[in-house]
């Protein structure tokens, strides 16, 4: 036996309460560390006990500070502002053409700036953002210079011609595009106009090499970063740490000419028809929902795409195509509204990329309640008609 | 209306056997439903499985014979110029080759045609000589464009599924083979190796954050520390939900 033997006398002596003539022992107190490699499960449980609940509840992750636990040493939290980095004399420019729908950068656009910073820092250059309008997000994203591109309506050919003049007029070493619907289109137009090779859909990027998949993802192509690169999503981390100047740059663009597009009209997605993977707002039913007529009416009233948990799809109450989770669809939605779903790990995987989660469930300790930004401990069957009533009232006036 | 559909030598997504590219079969359907004469156009060493496209609603196919590793762009540009087509349809990108989707743009540039990407539906325009194109955008949104013909339009995979294969139509279809223009490909600087999937970014915290912050971002929920209402009345719950949905901007 390698374990040292227990010495009951010294163990008892550690529990002795000093300050009285008669020997007193407090056996309930957690003894100080004796150096013995044994865990005191009762003391650990006392520390993990969450105070103030009627039901006995243990929080072993220790996210809630337990009573009796030592208070953490209080250090005043100092919010240090990010350091401003200026590049007065850049050796070259790395241009970024973000999608920025409505003037706001998407996560993909931020990753693009991260990639541009990587290339610019390796060459002593500066990042030039080619956007439709200046915004203060650009300085945080990592743009040193900002050049507003004249744009009116949807005319990608005119935008590509404007970019071509920038490519010729300024010392631009690389131009980065997002490999999205509009960004990818613009990159290919510029490649055809300028005659430069486009590295389409780069999946990894460093200052020395970029790679992309080809031949149906059987071959990886690799080369030194060329002038035009379009970057796949989630390939490079967004820039963080330093703040940049985002100085406006002057540039004389050529006069745009009328293109072949006579009219363009944006049609928002129809939530009832859109597939779950592309949906923006998903309302999902779980085992806590029994009245599916009311659920469907609520989904239509909210303008959401219907989803369901595995339990509901297995029972045949919703189509299999509506299943959310690891064995169903992994959502990319902005908001997920879970009705009567406890949140199995497989289901939460499907919701992992959703920005906002709203949950209604009867169990306070359900994983979905913990995940949600707004959690309501109530019966979904009673909340659904109340929501429908409220929406109808608001519509009436 | 004379419509050309560009067909590329694809490979099957899973088995890697030579096969037509699905998005080009969808382009054939769009051409068939728009009406008018549809012509298939392929430039390459052999026609191979592209014979099947005749069974998916294409009446005739022109094969421009090229040597192995020749550039198809000059042959296609020449055939398109000669054919005087009103509309040229192509897939968004090939499958089994370079897969960059650059050829339609290069052709449009050579022919001086306007190009519109990612069509999912085509219809006659309001005036003669115009075309109404529905363009696929992310998250299921669409953009409806009216363009002047002639034009080159690429098709998105969200377009309607290809027409079912009909054996008799494939037998009936007409294949014309003629020599293309020999043009060597530009030498490539690419180094090629077997594909290796790379890990995608998952951590929300960026590189500048401390290790503890990155661990927290990876393990904790995105919107941790949210609002919790325990046993509210259904009406209060409904009000809270609607207010929250309005606040995050998903509900008007």
């Amino acid at each position: 036996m390698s374990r040292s033997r227990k010495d009951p006398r010294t163990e008892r002596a550690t529990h002795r309460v000093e300050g009285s003539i008669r020997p007193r022992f407090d056996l309930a107190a957690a003894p100080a560390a004796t150096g013995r490699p044994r865990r005191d499960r009762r003391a650990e449980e006392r520390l993990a006990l969450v105070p103030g609940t009627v039901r006995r509840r243990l929080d072993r992750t220790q996210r809630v500070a337990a009573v009796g636990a030592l208070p953490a040493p209080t250090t005043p939290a100092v919010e240090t502002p990010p350091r401003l980095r200026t590049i007065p004399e850049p050796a070259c420019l790395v241009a970024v053409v973000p999608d920025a729908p409505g003037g706001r950068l998407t996560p993909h656009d931020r990753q693009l700036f991260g990639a541009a910073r990587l290339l610019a820092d390796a060459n002593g250059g500066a990042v030039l953002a080619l956007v439709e309008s200046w915004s203060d997000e650009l300085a945080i994203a990592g743009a040193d210079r900002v050049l507003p591109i004249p744009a009116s309506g949807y005319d990608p050919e005119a935008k590509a011609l404007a970019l071509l003049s920038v490519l010729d007029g300024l010392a631009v070493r690389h131009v980065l595009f997002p490999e999205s619907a509009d960004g990818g289109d613009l990159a290919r137009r510029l490649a055809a106009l300028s005659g430069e090779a486009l590295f389409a859909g780069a999946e990894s990027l460093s200052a020395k090499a970029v790679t992309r998949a080809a031949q149906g993802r059987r071959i990886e192509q690799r080369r030194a970063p060329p002038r035009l690169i379009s970057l796949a999503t989630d390939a490079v981390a967004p820039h963080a740490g330093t703040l940049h100047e985002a100085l406006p740059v002057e540039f004389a663009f050529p006069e745009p000419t009328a293109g072949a597009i006579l009219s363009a009209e944006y049609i928002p997605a129809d939530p009832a028809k859109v597939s779950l993977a592309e949906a923006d707002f998903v309302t999902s039913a779980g085992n806590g929902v029994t009245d599916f007529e009311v659920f469907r009416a609520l989904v239509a009233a909210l303008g959401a795409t219907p989803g369901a948990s595995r339990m509901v799809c297995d029972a045949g109450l919703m189509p299999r195509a509506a299943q959310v989770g690891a064995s169903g669809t992994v959502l990319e939605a902005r908001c997920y509204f879970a009705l009567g779903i406890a949140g199995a790990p497989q289901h939460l995987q499907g919701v992992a990329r959703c920005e906002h989660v709203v949950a209604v469930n009867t169990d306070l300790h359900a994983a979905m309640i913990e995940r949600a930004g707004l959690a309501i401990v109530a019966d979904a069957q009673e909340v659904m008609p109340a929501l429908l009533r409220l929406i109808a009232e608001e519509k009436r006036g | 209306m004379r419509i050309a559909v560009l067909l590329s030598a694809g490979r099957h997504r899973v088995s890697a056997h030579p096969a037509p590219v699905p998005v080009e079969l969808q382009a054939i359907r769009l051409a068939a439903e728009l009406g008018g004469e549809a012509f298939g156009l392929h430039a390459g060493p052999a026609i191979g499985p592209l014979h099947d496209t005749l069974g998916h609603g294409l009446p005739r196919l022109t094969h421009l014979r090229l040597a192995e590793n020749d550039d198809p762009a000059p042959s296609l540009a020449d055939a398109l110029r000669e054919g005087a087509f009103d509309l040229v349809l192509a897939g968004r990108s090939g499958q089994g080759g370079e897969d960059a989707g650059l050829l339609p743009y290069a052709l449009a540039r050579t022919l001086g045609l306007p190009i519109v990407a990612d069509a999912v539906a085509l219809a006659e325009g309001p005036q003669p000589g115009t075309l109404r194109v529905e363009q696929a955008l992310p998250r299921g949104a669409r953009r409806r464009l009216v363009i002047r013909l002639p034009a080159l339009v690429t098709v998105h995979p969200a377009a309607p599924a290809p027409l079912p294969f009909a054996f008799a139509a494939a037998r009936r279809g007409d294949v014309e083979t003629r020599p293309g223009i020999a043009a060597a490909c530009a030498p490539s600087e690419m180094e090629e190796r077997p594909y290796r999937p790379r890990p995608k970014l998952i951590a929300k915290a960026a590189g500048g954050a401390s290790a503890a912050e990155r661990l927290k971002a990876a393990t904790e929920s995105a919107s941790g520390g949210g609002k919790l209402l325990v046993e509210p009345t259904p009406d209060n719950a409904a009000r809270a939900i609607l207010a929250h949905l309005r606040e995050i901007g998903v509900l008007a």
Side-chain angles (χ1 to χ4, degrees):
Chain A
M1 238 179 88
S2 59
R3 212 167 71 182
S4 58
R5 283 187 69 177
K6 212 172 162 182
D7 184 357
R9 282 206 182 75
T10 44
E11 230 172 54
R12 200 174 165 78
T14 55
H15 287 285
R16 180 160 182 165
V17 179
E18 301 293 332
S20 60
I21 305 159
R22 273 177 64 187
R24 267 190 64 214
F25 297 94
D26 183 6
L27 296 182
T34 52
R36 268 178 66 84
R38 265 186 90 165
R39 291 170 60 188
D40 185 351
R41 309 229 173 227
R42 286 203 185 81
E44 278 172 18
E45 213 170 275
R46 267 201 304 280
L47 287 176
L49 196 66
V50 175
T53 53
V54 183
R55 258 168 79 180
R56 184 179 145 81
R57 185 171 167 227
L58 299 178
D59 181 11
R60 296 192 194 275
T61 58
Q62 284 299 303
R63 278 180 195 148
V64 181
V67 178
L70 281 175
T74 49
T75 48
V78 183
E79 278 285 309
T80 46
R83 191 168 56 83
L84 180 74
R85 200 177 139 208
T86 56
I87 300 172
E89 297 278 314
C92 61
L93 289 171
V94 177
V96 174
V97 190
D99 276 343
R104 293 190 61 80
L105 295 180
T106 61
H108 194 176
D109 291 338
R110 289 177 192 281
Q111 292 164 9
L112 213 60
F113 276 103
R117 280 254 60 94
L118 211 80
L119 292 174
D121 291 345
N123 300 309
V127 174
L128 171 72
L130 298 165
V131 288
E132 287 180 12
S133 60
W134 190 91
S135 77
D136 51 357
E137 277 184 313
L138 295 169
I140 303 161
D144 299 304
R145 310 278 186 275
V146 179
L147 176 54
I149 307 179
S152 57
Y154 175 72
D155 193 357
E157 197 60 34
K159 201 169 171 188
L161 282 167
L163 290 179
L164 183 68
S165 64
V166 173
L167 209 63
D168 293 337
L170 298 175
V172 177
R173 189 176 168 126
H174 302 287
V175 189
L176 294 178
F177 296 88
E179 184 62 33
S180 57
D182 283 347
D185 179 45
L186 197 60
R188 286 169 180 82
R189 280 173 199 272
L190 184 60
L193 276 177
S194 64
E196 302 251 2
L198 168 72
F199 198 83
E203 291 190 343
S204 80
L205 182 142
S206 68
K208 285 201 181 122
V210 278
T211 66
R212 68 180 291 266
Q215 301 191 9
R217 297 195 165 267
R218 282 189 181 78
I219 293 286
E220 183 181 89
Q221 293 181 328
R222 183 186 173 84
R223 62 166 292 179
R227 205 158 177 211
L228 303 183
I229 302 172
S230 76
L231 193 71
T233 171
D234 287 347
V236 181
H239 168 71
T242 53
L243 195 67
H244 290 260
E245 303 168 282
L247 280 180
V249 178
E250 293 291 318
F251 189 79
F253 285 102
E255 277 298 306
T257 51
I261 294 174
L262 302 174
S263 77
E265 175 195 0
Y266 179 80
I267 306 159
D270 179 5
K273 282 187 196 159
V274 78
S275 81
L276 217 46
E278 307 191 293
D280 190 39
F281 175 29
V282 177
T283 298
S284 216
N287 217 17
V289 174
T290 49
D291 190 348
F292 279 83
E293 285 305 311
V294 176
F295 172 69
R296 278 189 206 102
L298 177 64
V299 167
L302 288 173
T305 307
S309 71
R310 183 193 57 79
M311 293 283 268
V312 169
C313 292
D314 279 359
L317 296 165
M318 289 284 282
R320 184 61 74 187
Q323 186 182 328
V324 173
S327 53
T329 310
V330 176
L331 301 182
E332 296 279 339
R334 197 150 48 103
C335 180
Y336 184 69
F337 182 16
L339 286 159
I341 297 179
Q346 290 83 353
H347 190 83
L348 289 179
Q349 277 176 30
V351 190
R353 297 177 68 101
C354 294
E355 205 177 321
H356 303 284
V357 175
V358 179
V360 178
N361 201 316
T362 45
D363 182 6
L364 173 62
H365 308 310
M368 191 56 92
I369 293 282
E370 194 188 340
R371 169 71 176 82
L374 172 66
I376 290 170
V377 181
D379 190 353
Q381 272 305 118
E382 287 165 11
V383 174
M384 285 195 305
L387 261 172
L388 271 177
R389 262 201 312 276
L390 192 59
I391 294 170
E393 266 173 36
E394 283 181 3
K395 261 196 193 141
R396 250 181 277 127
Chain B
M1 189 188 284
R2 284 167 66 82
I3 306 171
V5 182
L6 304 185
L7 301 168
S8 64
R11 286 190 172 269
H12 191 265
R13 196 169 54 84
V14 178
S15 70
H17 283 299
V21 181
V23 73
E24 288 165 3
L25 299 180
Q26 290 174 305
I28 293 172
R29 180 180 184 159
L30 289 186
E33 287 179 354
L34 189 60
E37 287 179 283
F39 298 81
L41 208 54
H42 172 68
I47 196 153
L50 288 183
H51 204 280
D52 285 1
T53 57
L54 295 170
H56 285 285
L58 192 69
R60 56 197 86 72
L61 173 57
T62 305
H63 173 213
L64 307 167
R65 206 182 323 99
L66 293 178
E68 198 81 34
N69 297 330
D70 262 4
D71 186 7
S75 312
L76 288 175
D78 187 58
L80 288 175
R81 206 176 282 127
E82 191 186 304
F85 295 102
D86 297 308
L87 179 63
V88 183
L89 293 180
R92 185 172 206 265
S93 79
Q95 192 178 81
E98 192 84 347
D99 301 358
L102 278 167
L103 184 74
Y105 289 86
L107 280 178
R109 177 85 188 127
T110 320
L111 299 171
L113 292 179
I115 179 164
V116 169
D118 295 344
V120 287
L122 301 175
E124 296 272 354
Q127 292 104 31
T130 59
L131 183 74
R132 204 186 288 274
V133 181
E134 201 161 296
Q135 205 179 23
L137 295 178
R139 292 205 182 282
R142 299 281 184 259
R143 194 188 280 133
R144 198 169 289 153
L145 305 173
V146 177
I147 57 169
R148 201 178 295 120
L149 293 176
L152 201 155
V153 174
T154 68
V155 177
H156 191 267
L163 292 171
F165 179 77
F167 181 72
R171 285 291 301 265
R172 218 182 303 124
D174 205 11
V175 181
E176 183 200 343
T177 304
R178 56 176 202 240
I181 301 168
C185 277
S188 164
E189 294 171 43
M190 299 279 194
E191 180 192 330
E192 292 194 341
R193 48 172 77 175
Y195 182 70
R196 176 169 70 91
R198 288 169 188 279
K200 289 212 160 194
L201 291 177
I202 36 170
K204 282 238 156 68
S210 73
E213 278 167 15
R214 271 181 282 135
L215 180 69
K216 210 170 139 197
T219 53
E220 268 193 342
S221 62
S223 53
K227 221 162 43 167
L228 176 69
L229 301 181
V230 181
E231 302 287 350
T233 62
D235 288 317
N236 282 347
R239 239 169 264 134
I241 290 168
L242 282 191
H244 185 76
L245 291 180
R246 294 229 163 84
E247 194 184 315
I248 61 180
V250 286
L251 213 62

